[in-house]
């Protein structure tokens, strides 16, 4: 996003609306730090600028910069997946999608939040660890399309420095892989330079129990159980 200096009067009205805090008044007027901006569109879309000085420049739509708006603006579609925003169905909607069956776990790593964002070079620290374990990044996850080598999990170099508001990495694991993921991947999160939330989605078993909770506790993780029922989203596509 950019501000047209010929129109801007430095009224500063737009500054509080930026979730990345990257609009600031400088010696040459109010400007956007282009490297920190994730092209989420909020500052323009709230229509707070009385001069209509905020605009999306042509380069924001060009490769590889366009990846910023694809991950940061929920009204922008990922061109290959035809998904919106962070672009994943997320395991959290499993009651509707049935994406993870009995015996599967959906595992999510959510990188970045408003105020921090995330760069793909930080996400790569986890994609490489996961692929080194022989676990695939789900194909319908937008991060999958940015992987240069599916055996190593490396991100295509042109995307590594791109910054986005947030992204969710999704994988599918089973009981036999849970301990290894907790042991090898979770400690790496300390070196990821943004906030990361980790989620694990499990179906109830035939006894209406969630044995994964006990399994996580035995691995030193204290889970916070959280039920999510997407009433109104549609009919479940599986039983
Ligand atoms: S597009 Fe988003 S991140 Fe960029 S300046 Fe506007 S509000 Fe901030
Ligand atoms: S709201 Fe418009 S005129 Fe005011 S500082 Fe922002 S860009 Fe400039």
């Amino acid at each position: 996003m950019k501000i047209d200096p010929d129109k801007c009067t430095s009224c500063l009205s737009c500054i509080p609306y930026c979730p990345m805090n990257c609009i600031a008044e400088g010696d040459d007027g109010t400007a956007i730090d282009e490297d920190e901006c994730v092209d989420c569109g909020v500052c323009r879309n709230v229509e707070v600028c009385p001069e209509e000085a905020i605009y999306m420049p042509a380069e924001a739509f060009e490769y590889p910069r366009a990846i910023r708006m694809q991950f940061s603006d929920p009204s922008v579609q990922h061109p290959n997946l035809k998904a919106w925003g962070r672009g994943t169905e997320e395991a959290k909607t499993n009651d509707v999608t049935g994406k993870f069956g009995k015996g599967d776990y959906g595992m999510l790593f959510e990188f970045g939040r408003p105020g921090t964002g995330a760069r793909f070079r930080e996400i790569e620290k986890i994609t490489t660890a996961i692929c080194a374990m022989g676990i695939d990044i789900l194909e319908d996850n937008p991060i999958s399309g940015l992987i240069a080598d599916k055996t190593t999990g490396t991100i295509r170099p042109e995307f590594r420095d791109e910054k986005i508001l947030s992204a969710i990495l999704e994988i599918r694991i089973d009981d036999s892989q849970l301990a290894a993921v907790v042991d090898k991947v979770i400690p790496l999160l300390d070196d990821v330079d943004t906030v990361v939330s980790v989620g694990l989605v499990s179906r109830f078993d035939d006894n209406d129990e969630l044995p994964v909770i006990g399994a996580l506790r035995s691995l030193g993780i204290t889970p916070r159980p959280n039920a999510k029922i997407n009433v109104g989203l549609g009919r479940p596509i599986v039983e």
Side-chain angles (χ1 to χ4, degrees):
M1 195 68 80
K2 279 189 174 174
I3 291 174
D4 183 342
D6 294 331
K7 292 182 178 177
C8 177
T9 58
S10 276
C11 71
L12 310 184
S13 300
C14 55
I15 288 179
Y17 291 91
C18 176
M20 298 307 299
N21 199 26
C22 63
I23 311 176
E25 188 183 26
D27 293 341
D28 298 324
T30 305
I32 293 172
D33 181 336
E34 287 293 301
D35 187 46
E36 290 297 315
C37 171
V38 295
D39 292 338
C40 68
V42 171
C43 55
R44 181 198 56 190
N45 296 346
V46 292
E47 300 182 346
V48 69
C49 179
E51 311 300 331
E52 298 186 359
I54 303 172
Y55 69 102
M56 196 69 88
E59 56 264 32
F61 298 90
E62 292 171 1
Y63 184 94
R65 171 107 193 177
I67 203 72
R68 297 193 182 215
M69 67 170 70
Q70 289 167 16
F71 274 87
S72 307
D73 182 344
S75 69
V76 173
Q77 211 173 19
H78 284 269
N80 296 332
L81 291 175
K82 306 299 180 199
W84 302 89
R86 299 185 298 180
T88 173
E89 287 176 335
E90 293 185 44
K92 287 184 283 188
T93 53
N94 202 46
D95 62 318
V96 174
T97 65
K99 193 169 176 179
F100 302 100
K102 288 185 178 176
D104 287 340
Y105 299 133
M107 197 157 192
L108 304 87
F109 299 85
E110 185 170 356
F111 300 87
R113 275 278 187 269
T116 60
R119 293 196 190 262
F120 283 106
R121 63 169 177 255
E122 300 301 320
I123 296 172
E124 185 180 49
K125 293 173 182 173
I126 302 306
T127 56
T128 50
I130 287 170
C131 290
M133 297 175 65
I135 298 172
D136 295 331
I137 313 293
L138 294 186
E139 288 286 336
D140 61 356
N141 185 265
I143 295 173
S144 169
L146 311 185
I147 303 285
D149 180 343
K150 290 191 172 18
T151 60
T152 63
T154 49
I155 299 277
R156 280 146 60 182
E158 63 270 34
F159 290 121
R160 283 196 188 117
D161 286 337
E162 294 297 338
K163 184 164 188 173
I164 55 170
L165 198 66
S166 69
I168 300 176
L169 175 66
E170 252 187 333
I171 59 174
R172 176 184 285 108
I173 60 171
D174 59 28
D175 265 330
S176 69
Q177 296 166 306
L178 182 63
V181 171
V182 169
D183 185 48
K184 293 181 177 167
V185 179
I186 301 296
L188 300 179
L189 299 177
D190 288 343
D191 292 327
V192 176
D193 186 18
T194 187
V195 60
V196 186
S197 304
V198 180
L200 188 141
V201 173
S202 169
R203 289 180 168 223
F204 285 88
D205 67 11
D206 291 339
N207 300 315
D208 292 336
E209 303 283 347
L210 285 173
V212 70
I213 291 179
L216 286 170
R217 287 194 178 120
S218 71
L219 294 168
I221 303 281
T222 306
R224 287 184 290 174
N226 175 21
K228 184 172 182 185
I229 307 296
N230 295 289
V231 176
L233 269 184
R235 290 164 61 95
I237 56 177
V238 296
E239 293 302 322

